[in-house]
């Protein structure tokens, strides 16, 4: 009898060694949506992480609105490209991207001015080449203007992305 009690006790204690453990596991990944510690920062109370995301979303909406306003402003501009010593001029207008149908912006030639004396004295090949050159000059000029106008948006966007984890800090001038 003593032997069965001792063997039962040994069996029960050794069986727990093979039983699965039910310890609570903690994850090293944390979203910190509603506050919590940030790397290098202190404790944020309340909904700190969520508020950061909402502020970034609001800023992104402001930048999108500014981009639309810039697109309208640039689209109203008449940008002139010229060739053949100014004898051929092409007026180009910026056409903003029309998402999702046409995701790339473009340019439309809206007016062509050719000097009458040049028109009469130029060969067909010279005139054709001058038109192509004037159109390319207009598109190049328009691209430069668009890049200059978007420079301010680029700085603001860099500021937003610099605030996100892994983003590059805004460029300093």
């Amino acid at each position: 009898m003593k032997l069965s009690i001792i063997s039962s006790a040994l069996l029960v204690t050794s069986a727990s060694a093979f039983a699965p453990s039910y310890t609570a596991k903690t994850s090293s990944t944390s979203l910190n949506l509603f506050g919590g510690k940030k790397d290098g920062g202190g404790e944020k109370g309340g909904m700190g992480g969520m508020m950061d995301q909402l502020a970034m979303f609001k800023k992104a909406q402001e930048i999108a609105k500014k981009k639309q306003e810039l697109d309208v402003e640039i689209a109203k501009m008449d940008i002139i490209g010229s060739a053949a010593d100014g004898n051929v001029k092409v007026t180009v207008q910026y056409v903003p991207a029309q998402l999702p149908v046409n995701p790339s912006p473009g340019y439309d030639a809206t007016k062509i001015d050719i000097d009458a004396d040049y028109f009469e004295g130029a060969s067909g090949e010279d005139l054709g080449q001058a038109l192509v050159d004037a159109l390319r000059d207009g598109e190049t000029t328009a691209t430069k203007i668009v890049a200059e106008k978007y420079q301010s948006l680029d700085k603001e966007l860099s500021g937003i992305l610099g605030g996100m984890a892994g983003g590059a800090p805004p460029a300093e001038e």
Side-chain angles (χ1 to χ4, degrees):
M1 177 84 162
K2 288 183 185 180
L3 184 60
S4 67
I5 293 176
I6 293 175
S7 63
S8 298
L10 286 174
L11 184 62
V12 168
T13 57
S14 64
S16 65
F18 298 106
S21 67
Y22 294 104
T23 59
K25 293 184 179 181
T26 58
S27 173
S28 62
T29 305
S30 175
L31 293 177
N32 292 328
L33 290 176
F34 300 104
K37 288 188 176 181
K38 287 190 170 186
D39 293 339
E43 186 81 26
K44 278 195 164 189
M47 295 179 49
M50 179 67 83
M51 292 301 178
D52 288 346
Q53 290 181 356
L54 289 174
M56 286 190 329
F57 182 70
K58 188 171 184 175
K59 186 69 173 174
Q61 285 180 323
E62 290 173 13
I63 290 173
K65 184 178 178 183
K66 287 180 184 179
K67 182 199 176 296
Q68 287 178 336
E69 290 170 358
L70 278 177
D71 282 346
V72 169
E73 177 187 336
I74 298 168
K76 291 179 181 179
M77 297 173 70
D78 286 334
I79 302 163
I80 299 173
S82 63
D85 298 324
N87 290 317
V88 177
K89 296 177 183 174
V90 176
T91 303
V92 176
Q93 284 189 325
Y94 174 73
V95 179
Q98 304 296 318
L99 296 175
V101 178
N102 187 7
S104 299
Y107 306 99
D108 281 342
T110 58
K111 185 178 177 185
I112 297 174
D113 288 324
I114 302 172
D115 183 63
D117 293 334
Y118 178 77
F119 182 75
E120 293 199 13
S123 68
E125 290 177 7
D126 290 341
L127 184 59
Q129 187 61 47
L131 283 168
V132 169
D133 291 343
L135 184 58
R136 285 184 183 156
D137 182 53
E139 288 182 355
T140 302
T141 304
T143 301
K144 288 178 185 176
I145 290 171
V146 170
E148 289 171 6
K149 295 281 187 177
Y150 280 3
Q151 198 74 22
S152 63
L153 292 179
D154 186 38
K155 289 178 185 174
E156 288 186 48
L157 192 57
S158 296
I160 288 178
L161 295 178
M164 295 174 61
E172 302 216 5
E173 293 182 22

